[in-house]
């Protein structure tokens, strides 16, 4: 299968600071990337859909000014949590969709980023 | 909106048992259905993907079935092992290129 990486895998930051998470498709071009959030013992909830070169589409209840998403290339999408607060502490997972390229029609998931805001 | 339900929420079985995890969904208009495994604090491992036109997929000791008409999928694990202990997630893809709708998962514990 195709490979998707996320960086960092873990990050601890202080309340009020901003954190950037990178999602990369390593061996295919991702026309679309998705960002999910998972709270403890809960399922994955979609935050936003990111298409290369265009603005992200956010799910209801997700603040676009707080969770900035940039998809500047076909292999990289970034999620920036601005002015983080303890309630933003969560597991953030991205997935990449190749649209028929090497990634086939599956979505491939990154390993996730554990964010802890103190 | 598609709702995905997984039953049971948690399951504990002795090693060697065969077991079935259930997933039900409300909208049968799906593109594919996927089963994932998630270990504590880790990301997702894709186990099986069933396209809308398929009835089942098999990989080793795992077998997943899909019945769109009844809105159900099952994941069958044969001869369970302690290493199978993890959370199993069912996810539906409504269409090619769309985000997945996840169930809450079944937490499986296989005891030696």
């Amino acid at each position: 299968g195709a490979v998707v990486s996320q960086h960092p895998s873990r990050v601890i930051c202080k309340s009020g600071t901003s954190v950037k998470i990178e999602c990369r498709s390593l061996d295919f071009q991702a026309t679309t990337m998705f960002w999910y959030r998972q709270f403890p013992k809960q399922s994955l909830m979609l935050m936003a859909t990111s298409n290369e070169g265009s603005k992200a589409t956010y799910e209801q209840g997700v603040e676009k000014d707080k969770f900035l998403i940039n998809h500047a290339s076909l292999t990289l999408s970034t999620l920036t949590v601005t002015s983080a607060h303890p309630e933003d502490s969560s597991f953030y997972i991205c997935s990449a969709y190749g649209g028929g390229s090497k990634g086939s029609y599956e979505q491939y998931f990154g390993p996730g980023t554990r964010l802890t805001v103190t | 909106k598609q709702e995905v339900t997984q039953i049971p929420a948690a399951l504990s079985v002795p090693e060697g048992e065969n077991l079935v995890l259930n997933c039900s969904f409300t909208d049968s208009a799906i593109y594919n259905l996927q089963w994932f495994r998630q270990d504590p604090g880790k990301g997702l491992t894709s186990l099986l993907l069933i396209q809308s036109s398929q009835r089942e997929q098999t990989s080793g000791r795992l077998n997943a079935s899909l019945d769109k008409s009844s809105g159900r999928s099952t994941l069958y694990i044969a001869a369970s092992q302690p290493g199978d202990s993890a959370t199993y997630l069912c996810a539906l893809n409504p269409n090619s290129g769309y985000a997945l709708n996840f169930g809450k998962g079944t937490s499986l514990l296989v005891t030696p």
Side-chain angles (χ1 to χ4, degrees):
Chain A
V3 180
V4 176
S5 70
Q6 270 185 253
H7 178 80
S9 57
R10 286 180 175 271
V11 58
I12 301 173
C13 70
K14 294 193 174 186
S15 187
T17 61
S18 296
V19 174
K20 180 185 284 189
I21 303 170
E22 293 186 349
C23 176
R24 292 181 184 273
S25 56
L26 299 184
D27 53 357
F28 69 101
Q29 293 186 329
T31 53
T32 304
M33 287 185 172
F34 302 96
W35 288 95
Y36 298 83
R37 179 168 54 185
Q38 185 180 35
F39 290 109
K41 298 192 184 300
Q42 296 295 314
S43 190
L44 278 75
M45 298 300 293
L46 178 68
M47 298 177 66
T49 300
S50 169
N51 291 299
E52 186 266 339
S54 62
K55 291 184 177 181
T57 302
Y58 291 81
E59 293 300 297
Q60 190 173 9
V62 178
E63 299 176 58
K64 62 180 181 181
D65 294 330
K66 181 170 184 61
F67 299 99
L68 301 179
I69 292 173
N70 184 283
H71 193 161
S73 77
L74 285 171
T75 59
L76 173 65
S77 177
T78 60
L79 167 66
T80 301
V81 183
T82 62
S83 187
H85 288 100
E87 57 264 32
D88 298 325
S89 298
S90 188
F91 193 54
Y92 292 86
I93 304 179
C94 71
S95 71
Y97 170 70
S101 65
K102 181 177 179 178
S104 185
Y105 293 99
E106 274 190 60
Q107 290 181 33
Y108 294 92
F109 282 80
T113 296
R114 172 74 58 193
L115 170 63
T116 302
V117 184
T118 61
Chain B
K1 185 177 186 257
Q2 176 77 273
E3 294 199 6
V4 184
T5 304
Q6 290 189 247
I7 295 173
L11 180 64
S12 179
V13 300
E15 181 177 8
E17 276 204 8
N18 303 323
L19 57 100
V20 175
L21 307 181
N22 296 291
C23 173
S24 62
F25 47 95
T26 54
D27 188 348
S28 62
I30 64 171
Y31 183 69
N32 59 45
L33 181 148
Q34 204 162 353
W35 283 92
F36 293 89
R37 168 186 173 138
Q38 185 176 31
D39 292 287
K42 303 294 184 180
L44 305 180
T45 299
S46 178
L47 298 174
L48 290 165
L49 183 149
I50 310 176
Q51 298 291 354
S52 176
S53 59
Q54 297 175 324
R55 298 281 293 184
E56 66 176 347
Q57 283 287 333
T58 298
S59 175
R61 294 183 293 109
L62 305 179
N63 176 278
S65 69
L66 173 63
D67 183 345
K68 288 196 304 177
S69 61
S70 65
R72 294 179 186 277
S73 175
T74 62
L75 178 66
Y76 175 82
I77 303 177
S80 58
Q81 303 170 357
D84 294 331
S85 299
T87 296
Y88 290 81
L89 295 166
C90 169
L92 273 69
N93 190 344
N95 209 337
S96 177
Y98 280 55
L100 303 187
N101 293 315
F102 284 86
K104 291 186 176 181
T106 294
S107 178
L108 173 65
L109 176 64
V110 181
T111 55

